Amino acid sequence: MVLFEEALEIILQDVRRMGSERVPFEEALFRVLAEDIHSDVDMPPFDKAAMDGYACRRQDLHRPMQVLEVIAAGDTPGHAIGEGQCSKIMTGAMVPDGADTVIMVEHTVEEQPGFIRFTAGNTTPNIAYQAEDVKTGQRVWQKGMQILPQHIAILAAVGATRPLVARKPRVGILSTGDELVEPGHQPGPGKIRNSNGFQLHAQVLAAHAEPHYMGIVPDDEEATRQAIARALDENEVVLLTGGVSAGDYDFVPKIMRQCGVEILFQKVAVKPGRPTVFGRSSSSAIFGLPGNPVSSFINFETFVKPLLYAMMGAGYSPLEMRLPMGVDFRRKKGDRLEFLPVSIDNKGQVIPVQYHGSAHIHAICLAHALMIIPKGTFEISKGELTHVRPF
Ligand code: AMP
Ligand code: MG
């Protein structure tokens, strides 16, 4: 049995990194950058009016100023500003030479045709200066970053229209168990629908990798061997659920070995997920996750997701917060680190969700986060700060 931290360290050791590919930047959302991005322009590219108003010289604010022209956004100014002169200017337009201030149109009156006067007491310059945000050649984004909607704007602004991103790991998903039927079928006596397979499929999608559902595998050694061999052959990561505990038909670890997998751990001191198997073949990483859907969900979050991100070269660290317990919490055993589904109320307090055990998939749907209960902790009192990890 390994500790949770040791298991994670083993998973993240010798990670096989994905290659990279160029994609149109509009399609790069949630991909992981495989190159640094540099700007080929200054931002702003010129001294830019930040207000609609008049570009002028600060020393002329006390006197009437002659209006030379109107400068719209996208225009280049026709005149430099001299003593006692100004030009009407629109937000985003180039500030003409000689001007050091843009006064707001609301702070002016037309004194006589062609002349305006500043009516306020004082003003800021209202100019966004050339390169104050980014200089040409500057690195604007770093390799390993995941591209979010706000980053798409940066890619657009610097002309990085085909960024180099990490390829997505191909993840094969197998559900083992004679009790399973596909969701489109009515389960007969003793049977249940395969919910794990599709939950994992969705979790892989949400982790921005590429899931491949490979079906239900009966609890039969030869069928399991064939399914695992094929899954290892076709995928960079294989996720199997069920068949890893101590039942008569839990022969998944044995079959993995027969398929050339080196098993790196088979039991972890964590709840849920004690019977989690992890190994590697010459080409792929493989997880045997517990069959219970809540366990499978949580163990994907805690074990699989970090690996997928590491394969894509992303610096993934889950957001962890310390929030106050909303109720007194107590558990009977403290021999394992535990991830408990919790909700967070509108006062920011942590409330464990009603949870009948690891087959209770509704519980996880009511949860916002996992509370991390350290090994050796039996009680957390109301008001005490506790670690939570939103998902
Ligand atoms: P196992 O790990 O195979 O012993 O399964 C543990 C429990 O999880 C059993 O109650 C199974 O019926 C249930 N289970 C296993 N696989 C799935 C699945 N794909 N979808 C939903 N429940 C499952
Ligand atoms: Mg089973």
Side-chain angles (χ1 to χ4, degrees), residues 176-179 219 241-245 249-250 291:
T176 74
D178 277 344
E179 73 276 37
D219 288 322
T241 62
V244 291
S245 27
Y249 299 96
D250 294 337

Side-chain angles (χ1 to χ4, degrees), residues 169-374:
R170 203 181 139 97
V171 183
I173 298 162
L174 289 169
S175 303
T176 74
D178 277 344
E179 73 276 37
L180 301 177
V181 300
E182 293 294 4
H185 291 85
Q186 193 65 41
K191 310 283 184 191
I192 57 168
R193 291 195 175 100
N194 172 20
S195 48
N196 276 341
F198 297 91
Q199 177 172 257
L200 284 171
H201 186 273
Q203 284 182 293
V204 171
L205 275 181
H208 313 293
E210 196 183 294
H212 288 271
Y213 175 63
M214 302 185 73
I216 295 168
V217 187
D219 288 322
D220 166 83
E221 295 205 14
E222 188 46 36
T224 306
R225 190 171 7 258
Q226 281 181 22
I228 291 181
R230 192 178 138 220
L232 287 168
D233 208 42
E234 295 177 358
N235 300 280
E236 278 116 4
V237 176
V238 176
L239 304 180
L240 245 123
T241 62
V244 291
S245 27
D248 289 354
Y249 299 96
D250 294 337
F251 41 67
V252 161
K254 178 176 107 189
I255 307 283
M256 283 185 183
R257 282 199 189 88
Q258 291 172 3
C259 292
V261 171
E262 185 194 355
I263 305 258
L264 298 168
F265 60 78
Q266 205 171 323
K267 271 204 167 66
V268 188
V270 66
K271 185 181 177 188
R274 193 199 324 246
T276 296
V277 185
F278 176 72
R280 284 199 201 91
S281 70
S282 55
S283 60
S284 318
I286 181 164
F287 288 89
L289 300 173
N292 272 310
V294 176
S295 309
S296 165
F297 179 91
I298 293 176
N299 293 148
F300 180 92
E301 280 293 315
T302 55
F303 291 128
V304 183
K305 202 158 143 187
L307 175 66
L308 296 179
Y309 275 101
M311 290 175 78
M312 293 188 276
Y316 168 76
S317 52
L319 177 67
E320 271 182 27
M321 304 187 288
R322 305 232 322 138
L323 293 176
M325 249 354 257
V327 293
D328 284 329
F329 172 79
R330 192 162 279 113
R331 63 172 178 163
K332 286 198 195 84
K333 285 209 226 157
D335 60 330
R336 288 185 276 167
L337 174 77
E338 183 171 352
F339 292 99
L340 188 77
V342 293
S343 65
I344 297 168
D345 71 12
N346 55 17
K347 294 189 196 118
Q349 301 183 115
V350 178
I351 318 274
V353 298
Q354 282 281 344
Y355 183 35
H356 306 149
S358 46
H360 187 190
I361 39 179
H362 296 87
I364 207 92
C365 299
L366 301 172
H368 303 122
L370 299 174
M371 177 163 88
I372 307 166
I373 310 163

Side-chain angles (χ1 to χ4, degrees), residues 47-56 70-73 87-96 101-108 118 122-129:
D47 290 346
K48 196 168 77 172
M51 294 287 174
D52 294 321
Y54 293 87
C56 62
V70 178
I71 310 166
S87 286
K88 194 166 193 190
I89 193 162
M90 307 302 147
T91 303
M94 267 176 104
V95 174
T101 302
V102 172
I103 54 177
M104 291 166 66
V105 70
E106 294 89 337
H107 293 167
T108 60
F118 181 56
N122 206 354
T123 180
T124 54
N126 295 321
I127 295 173
Y129 295 103

Side-chain angles (χ1 to χ4, degrees), residues 6-79:
E6 292 167 337
L8 199 57
E9 203 178 304
I10 291 168
I11 291 168
L12 296 177
Q13 246 165 34
D14 308 319
V15 168
R16 290 196 192 93
R17 292 282 290 268
M18 303 304 296
S20 53
E21 58 184 338
R22 291 203 176 273
V23 294
F25 82 105
E26 313 94 295
E27 292 165 24
L29 187 63
F30 299 130
R31 303 297 295 269
V32 177
L33 267 180
E35 63 176 348
D36 289 344
I37 300 287
H38 296 88
S39 180
D40 68 345
V41 288
D42 286 342
M43 285 196 262
F46 44 82
D47 290 346
K48 196 168 77 172
M51 294 287 174
D52 294 321
Y54 293 87
C56 62
R57 310 185 325 158
R58 179 166 288 274
Q59 71 230 61
D60 292 340
L61 290 183
H62 64 283
R63 54 181 273 186
M65 291 177 276
Q66 183 193 5
V67 183
L68 300 180
E69 62 175 330
V70 178
I71 310 166
D75 281 355
T76 50
H79 303 279

